[in-house]
mmCIF file of all heavy atoms in Angstrom:
data_model
loop_
_atom_site.group_PDB
_atom_site.id
_atom_site.type_symbol
_atom_site.label_atom_id
_atom_site.label_comp_id
_atom_site.label_asym_id
_atom_site.label_seq_id
_atom_site.Cartn_x
_atom_site.Cartn_y
_atom_site.Cartn_z
ATOM 1 N N GLU A 18 84.048 114.859 90.973
ATOM 2 C CA GLU A 18 84.498 115.746 89.908
ATOM 3 C C GLU A 18 85.012 117.063 90.493
ATOM 4 O O GLU A 18 86.037 117.594 90.055
ATOM 5 C CB GLU A 18 83.364 116.017 88.926
ATOM 6 C CG GLU A 18 82.991 114.808 88.075
ATOM 7 C CD GLU A 18 81.845 115.109 87.120
ATOM 8 O OE1 GLU A 18 81.192 116.163 87.321
ATOM 9 O OE2 GLU A 18 81.612 114.313 86.197
ATOM 10 N N ALA A 19 84.287 117.583 91.483
ATOM 11 C CA ALA A 19 84.708 118.832 92.113
ATOM 12 C C ALA A 19 86.034 118.657 92.843
ATOM 13 O O ALA A 19 86.904 119.538 92.801
ATOM 14 C CB ALA A 19 83.625 119.311 93.083
ATOM 15 N N LEU A 20 86.204 117.491 93.502
ATOM 16 C CA LEU A 20 87.453 117.232 94.205
ATOM 17 C C LEU A 20 88.601 117.091 93.216
ATOM 18 O O LEU A 20 89.699 117.608 93.439
ATOM 19 C CB LEU A 20 87.322 115.958 95.048
ATOM 20 C CG LEU A 20 88.576 115.511 95.823
ATOM 21 C CD1 LEU A 20 89.077 116.626 96.738
ATOM 22 C CD2 LEU A 20 88.289 114.245 96.620
ATOM 23 N N ARG A 21 88.354 116.388 92.117
ATOM 24 C CA ARG A 21 89.372 116.257 91.072
ATOM 25 C C ARG A 21 89.816 117.629 90.569
ATOM 26 O O ARG A 21 91.020 117.901 90.424
ATOM 27 C CB ARG A 21 88.808 115.441 89.916
ATOM 28 C CG ARG A 21 89.725 115.340 88.688
ATOM 29 C CD ARG A 21 88.928 115.023 87.451
ATOM 30 N NE ARG A 21 87.915 116.042 87.168
ATOM 31 C CZ ARG A 21 86.882 115.862 86.360
ATOM 32 N NH1 ARG A 21 86.702 114.705 85.752
ATOM 33 N NH2 ARG A 21 86.013 116.836 86.159
ATOM 34 N N ASP A 22 88.848 118.506 90.318
ATOM 35 C CA ASP A 22 89.168 119.830 89.800
ATOM 36 C C ASP A 22 89.920 120.658 90.845
ATOM 37 O O ASP A 22 90.843 121.408 90.507
ATOM 38 C CB ASP A 22 87.891 120.555 89.381
ATOM 39 C CG ASP A 22 87.202 119.874 88.198
ATOM 40 O OD1 ASP A 22 87.870 119.076 87.510
ATOM 41 O OD2 ASP A 22 85.995 120.120 87.990
ATOM 42 N N ALA A 23 89.506 120.526 92.115
ATOM 43 C CA ALA A 23 90.174 121.277 93.179
ATOM 44 C C ALA A 23 91.620 120.822 93.336
ATOM 45 O O ALA A 23 92.529 121.637 93.510
ATOM 46 C CB ALA A 23 89.412 121.109 94.494
ATOM 47 N N LEU A 24 91.839 119.508 93.273
ATOM 48 C CA LEU A 24 93.206 118.987 93.353
ATOM 49 C C LEU A 24 94.028 119.471 92.162
ATOM 50 O O LEU A 24 95.201 119.826 92.305
ATOM 51 C CB LEU A 24 93.182 117.459 93.391
ATOM 52 C CG LEU A 24 92.646 116.821 94.670
ATOM 53 C CD1 LEU A 24 92.408 115.322 94.454
ATOM 54 C CD2 LEU A 24 93.619 117.037 95.829
ATOM 55 N N GLY A 25 93.405 119.475 90.991
ATOM 56 C CA GLY A 25 94.100 119.923 89.791
ATOM 57 C C GLY A 25 94.498 121.380 89.848
ATOM 58 O O GLY A 25 95.501 121.777 89.252
ATOM 59 N N ARG A 26 93.716 122.194 90.560
ATOM 60 C CA ARG A 26 94.069 123.601 90.684
ATOM 61 C C ARG A 26 95.309 123.788 91.546
ATOM 62 O O ARG A 26 96.086 124.720 91.329
ATOM 63 C CB ARG A 26 92.888 124.397 91.263
ATOM 64 C CG ARG A 26 91.779 124.660 90.246
ATOM 65 C CD ARG A 26 90.784 125.669 90.749
ATOM 66 N NE ARG A 26 89.999 125.176 91.866
ATOM 67 C CZ ARG A 26 88.869 124.491 91.744
ATOM 68 N NH1 ARG A 26 88.402 124.211 90.534
ATOM 69 N NH2 ARG A 26 88.199 124.086 92.802
ATOM 70 N N PHE A 27 95.492 122.917 92.531
ATOM 71 C CA PHE A 27 96.714 122.968 93.325
ATOM 72 C C PHE A 27 97.909 122.548 92.480
ATOM 73 O O PHE A 27 98.956 123.198 92.473
ATOM 74 C CB PHE A 27 96.603 122.047 94.555
ATOM 75 C CG PHE A 27 96.051 122.721 95.764
ATOM 76 C CD1 PHE A 27 94.728 122.549 96.124
ATOM 77 C CD2 PHE A 27 96.843 123.538 96.539
ATOM 78 C CE1 PHE A 27 94.209 123.178 97.239
ATOM 79 C CE2 PHE A 27 96.343 124.167 97.660
ATOM 80 C CZ PHE A 27 95.012 123.997 98.008
ATOM 81 N N GLU A 28 97.733 121.448 91.767
ATOM 82 C CA GLU A 28 98.791 120.925 90.917
ATOM 83 C C GLU A 28 98.133 119.939 89.947
ATOM 84 O O GLU A 28 97.454 119.008 90.389
ATOM 85 C CB GLU A 28 99.856 120.217 91.768
ATOM 86 C CG GLU A 28 101.142 119.953 91.035
ATOM 87 C CD GLU A 28 102.241 119.455 91.962
ATOM 88 O OE1 GLU A 28 102.210 119.789 93.167
ATOM 89 O OE2 GLU A 28 103.108 118.712 91.480
ATOM 90 N N PRO A 29 98.299 120.123 88.656
ATOM 91 C CA PRO A 29 97.574 119.293 87.679
ATOM 92 C C PRO A 29 97.704 117.792 87.911
ATOM 93 O O PRO A 29 96.720 117.063 87.749
ATOM 94 C CB PRO A 29 98.195 119.712 86.345
ATOM 95 C CG PRO A 29 98.644 121.120 86.570
ATOM 96 C CD PRO A 29 99.104 121.163 88.004
ATOM 97 N N ARG A 30 98.879 117.325 88.295
ATOM 98 C CA ARG A 30 99.048 115.878 88.434
ATOM 99 C C ARG A 30 98.243 115.307 89.596
ATOM 100 O O ARG A 30 97.954 114.115 89.619
ATOM 101 C CB ARG A 30 100.521 115.515 88.613
ATOM 102 C CG ARG A 30 101.181 116.092 89.854
ATOM 103 C CD ARG A 30 102.609 115.623 89.988
ATOM 104 N NE ARG A 30 103.278 116.264 91.100
ATOM 105 C CZ ARG A 30 104.491 115.932 91.542
ATOM 106 N NH1 ARG A 30 105.146 114.959 90.951
ATOM 107 N NH2 ARG A 30 105.045 116.553 92.554
ATOM 108 N N LEU A 31 97.875 116.125 90.572
ATOM 109 C CA LEU A 31 97.117 115.614 91.712
ATOM 110 C C LEU A 31 95.759 115.093 91.266
ATOM 111 O O LEU A 31 95.307 114.026 91.708
ATOM 112 C CB LEU A 31 96.945 116.701 92.775
ATOM 113 C CG LEU A 31 98.214 117.212 93.450
ATOM 114 C CD1 LEU A 31 97.871 118.263 94.502
ATOM 115 C CD2 LEU A 31 99.000 116.073 94.081
ATOM 116 N N GLY A 32 95.089 115.833 90.400
ATOM 117 C CA GLY A 32 93.808 115.374 89.887
ATOM 118 C C GLY A 32 93.948 114.098 89.071
ATOM 119 O O GLY A 32 93.102 113.201 89.155
ATOM 120 N N ARG A 33 95.024 113.997 88.298
ATOM 121 C CA ARG A 33 95.246 112.798 87.486
ATOM 122 C C ARG A 33 95.528 111.579 88.360
ATOM 123 O O ARG A 33 95.034 110.478 88.081
ATOM 124 C CB ARG A 33 96.409 113.031 86.514
ATOM 125 C CG ARG A 33 96.149 114.112 85.480
ATOM 126 C CD ARG A 33 97.162 114.033 84.347
ATOM 127 N NE ARG A 33 98.528 114.223 84.812
ATOM 128 C CZ ARG A 33 99.133 115.400 84.841
ATOM 129 N NH1 ARG A 33 98.501 116.483 84.445
ATOM 130 N NH2 ARG A 33 100.389 115.496 85.250
ATOM 131 N N ILE A 34 96.319 111.758 89.403
ATOM 132 C CA ILE A 34 96.626 110.641 90.304
ATOM 133 C C ILE A 34 95.350 110.137 90.969
ATOM 134 O O ILE A 34 95.118 108.928 91.082
ATOM 135 C CB ILE A 34 97.660 111.070 91.366
ATOM 136 C CG1 ILE A 34 99.016 111.362 90.704
ATOM 137 C CG2 ILE A 34 97.831 109.980 92.431
ATOM 138 C CD1 ILE A 34 100.033 111.963 91.648
ATOM 139 N N TYR A 35 94.520 111.070 91.407
ATOM 140 C CA TYR A 35 93.264 110.714 92.073
ATOM 141 C C TYR A 35 92.354 109.913 91.150
ATOM 142 O O TYR A 35 91.872 108.825 91.511
ATOM 143 C CB TYR A 35 92.576 111.999 92.550
ATOM 144 C CG TYR A 35 91.155 111.830 93.006
ATOM 145 C CD1 TYR A 35 90.818 110.930 94.021
ATOM 146 C CD2 TYR A 35 90.131 112.580 92.422
ATOM 147 C CE1 TYR A 35 89.506 110.784 94.435
ATOM 148 C CE2 TYR A 35 88.822 112.446 92.835
ATOM 149 C CZ TYR A 35 88.510 111.541 93.841
ATOM 150 O OH TYR A 35 87.206 111.397 94.258
ATOM 151 N N VAL A 36 92.129 110.424 89.938
ATOM 152 C CA VAL A 36 91.254 109.724 89.000
ATOM 153 C C VAL A 36 91.870 108.395 88.584
ATOM 154 O O VAL A 36 91.157 107.397 88.406
ATOM 155 C CB VAL A 36 90.974 110.605 87.763
ATOM 156 C CG1 VAL A 36 90.195 109.826 86.718
ATOM 157 C CG2 VAL A 36 90.194 111.849 88.173
ATOM 158 N N GLY A 37 93.184 108.342 88.446
ATOM 159 C CA GLY A 37 93.841 107.080 88.103
ATOM 160 C C GLY A 37 93.604 106.013 89.149
ATOM 161 O O GLY A 37 93.398 104.839 88.821
ATOM 162 N N GLY A 38 93.619 106.422 90.432
ATOM 163 C CA GLY A 38 93.354 105.465 91.495
ATOM 164 C C GLY A 38 91.943 104.937 91.475
ATOM 165 O O GLY A 38 91.678 103.799 91.883
ATOM 166 N N LEU A 39 90.998 105.759 91.014
ATOM 167 C CA LEU A 39 89.610 105.316 90.881
ATOM 168 C C LEU A 39 89.430 104.462 89.628
ATOM 169 O O LEU A 39 88.708 103.463 89.644
ATOM 170 C CB LEU A 39 88.677 106.530 90.809
ATOM 171 C CG LEU A 39 88.635 107.444 92.033
ATOM 172 C CD1 LEU A 39 87.730 108.636 91.765
ATOM 173 C CD2 LEU A 39 88.169 106.688 93.276
ATOM 174 N N ARG A 40 90.097 104.839 88.576
ATOM 175 C CA ARG A 40 89.905 104.167 87.296
ATOM 176 C C ARG A 40 90.371 102.715 87.340
ATOM 177 O O ARG A 40 89.727 101.838 86.752
ATOM 178 C CB ARG A 40 90.662 104.919 86.201
ATOM 179 C CG ARG A 40 90.510 104.296 84.822
ATOM 180 C CD ARG A 40 91.002 105.217 83.738
ATOM 181 N NE ARG A 40 90.760 104.656 82.416
ATOM 182 C CZ ARG A 40 90.903 105.317 81.282
ATOM 183 N NH1 ARG A 40 91.277 106.587 81.304
ATOM 184 N NH2 ARG A 40 90.668 104.741 80.119
ATOM 185 N N VAL A 41 91.463 102.444 88.007
ATOM 186 C CA VAL A 41 91.982 101.071 88.024
ATOM 187 C C VAL A 41 90.999 100.120 88.694
ATOM 188 O O VAL A 41 90.992 98.923 88.413
ATOM 189 C CB VAL A 41 93.369 101.032 88.725
ATOM 190 C CG1 VAL A 41 93.225 101.229 90.231
ATOM 191 C CG2 VAL A 41 94.091 99.727 88.427
ATOM 192 N N LEU A 42 90.133 100.640 89.557
ATOM 193 C CA LEU A 42 89.151 99.790 90.230
ATOM 194 C C LEU A 42 88.013 99.365 89.313
ATOM 195 O O LEU A 42 87.208 98.512 89.685
ATOM 196 C CB LEU A 42 88.577 100.515 91.454
ATOM 197 C CG LEU A 42 89.542 100.711 92.625
ATOM 198 C CD1 LEU A 42 88.854 101.425 93.774
ATOM 199 C CD2 LEU A 42 90.097 99.375 93.104
ATOM 200 N N GLU A 43 87.941 99.961 88.132
ATOM 201 C CA GLU A 43 86.909 99.575 87.178
ATOM 202 C C GLU A 43 87.291 98.335 86.375
ATOM 203 O O GLU A 43 86.478 97.796 85.634
ATOM 204 C CB GLU A 43 86.637 100.738 86.219
ATOM 205 C CG GLU A 43 86.191 102.018 86.901
ATOM 206 C CD GLU A 43 84.893 101.844 87.660
ATOM 207 O OE1 GLU A 43 83.972 101.213 87.112
ATOM 208 O OE2 GLU A 43 84.799 102.325 88.808
#
């Protein structure tokens, strides 16, 4: 969660891409 938020602070789509890559594995 902290990494997602940190990526999002750099650029919002970075956090979304990261979580999307994790979500598809579910």
